[in-house]
Amino acid sequence: LTEESLQMTTTSDEMNPSIEPLQPIPPTNNIHQPKPTLYGHLHMAKTAGTTLNGLMATKYNRICGNKGFTNELRAWYIIDNGIFESTNYATDCDWISPELPHEFWNVLDHVDREVEMHVPCRDPIAHLMSVVNHEKRVFNCNAPNLRAE
């Protein structure tokens, strides 16, 4: 850039009222910063939760799941050593993905930060057929009583 082009830019900016000059960012005080959100992943069977947990654990820190932990993807190691159960979810995790009964989520009742839940969605028919396949069952679409099926 030449000095002349800088003058032209300044002159054109000053003549254009829609361009506002940059304002300095005010200093922040960490005391008033909100605590980061704690993300909960509701792990439902056959919705790729284990895969998601593993991918998150390899890419990010503070990932806590009973099938994948930051820097630890051996589910047997996590389970055998009680790593997930001995974790302080409120302070050690930013993303939680337990494959546990729904009562687990009661541990977050008194967490001093916002909790945001993520519920996996999958096409209902594809989900049903995946569960049936996982359980090595046969689903008869022509059965007289589909509810019983």
Side-chain angles (χ1 to χ4, degrees):
L1 291 174
T2 65
E3 190 171 322
E4 184 178 81
S5 66
L6 287 174
Q7 282 182 327
M8 291 176 64
T9 304
T10 304
T11 306
S12 65
D13 286 352
E14 289 170 354
M15 294 187 328
N16 186 345
S18 66
I19 299 175
E20 296 181 18
L22 293 175
Q23 298 296 317
I25 299 172
T28 59
N29 183 342
N30 288 336
I31 295 171
H32 300 293
Q33 294 285 64
K35 293 182 180 177
T37 300
L38 175 60
Y39 296 96
H41 170 243
L42 185 62
H43 196 125
M44 294 175 61
K46 308 314 297 171
T47 58
T50 299
T51 301
L52 176 62
N53 188 186
L55 289 170
M56 294 286 287
T58 59
K59 302 272 184 200
Y60 302 100
N61 291 318
R62 302 174 51 82
I63 303 300
C64 304
N66 62 330
K67 294 264 182 100
F69 233 80
T70 297
N71 300 322
E72 182 53 68
L73 297 177
R74 297 172 296 172
W76 63 267
Y77 183 85
I78 294 167
I79 293 165
D80 289 352
N81 292 288
I83 294 173
F84 188 76
E85 292 76 14
S86 64
T87 299
N88 182 336
Y89 311 111
T91 60
D92 298 341
C93 308
D94 288 332
W95 193 79
I96 301 175
S97 180
E99 195 171 324
L100 298 170
H102 67 85
E103 292 87 6
F104 163 81
W105 295 105
N106 294 336
V107 303
L108 302 179
D109 280 350
H110 304 289
V111 170
D112 188 25
R113 60 198 268 207
E114 181 179 334
V115 177
E116 182 177 303
M117 295 298 296
H118 288 254
V119 180
C121 297
R122 186 172 178 187
D123 174 71
I125 300 299
H127 191 199
L128 170 66
M129 298 315 294
S130 181
V131 170
V132 167
N133 184 50
H134 178 72
E135 294 180 359
K136 296 180 180 22
R137 295 184 57 205
V138 175
F139 187 85
N140 182 357
C141 296
N142 296 319
N145 185 350
L146 285 178
R147 286 182 192 244
E149 187 65 22

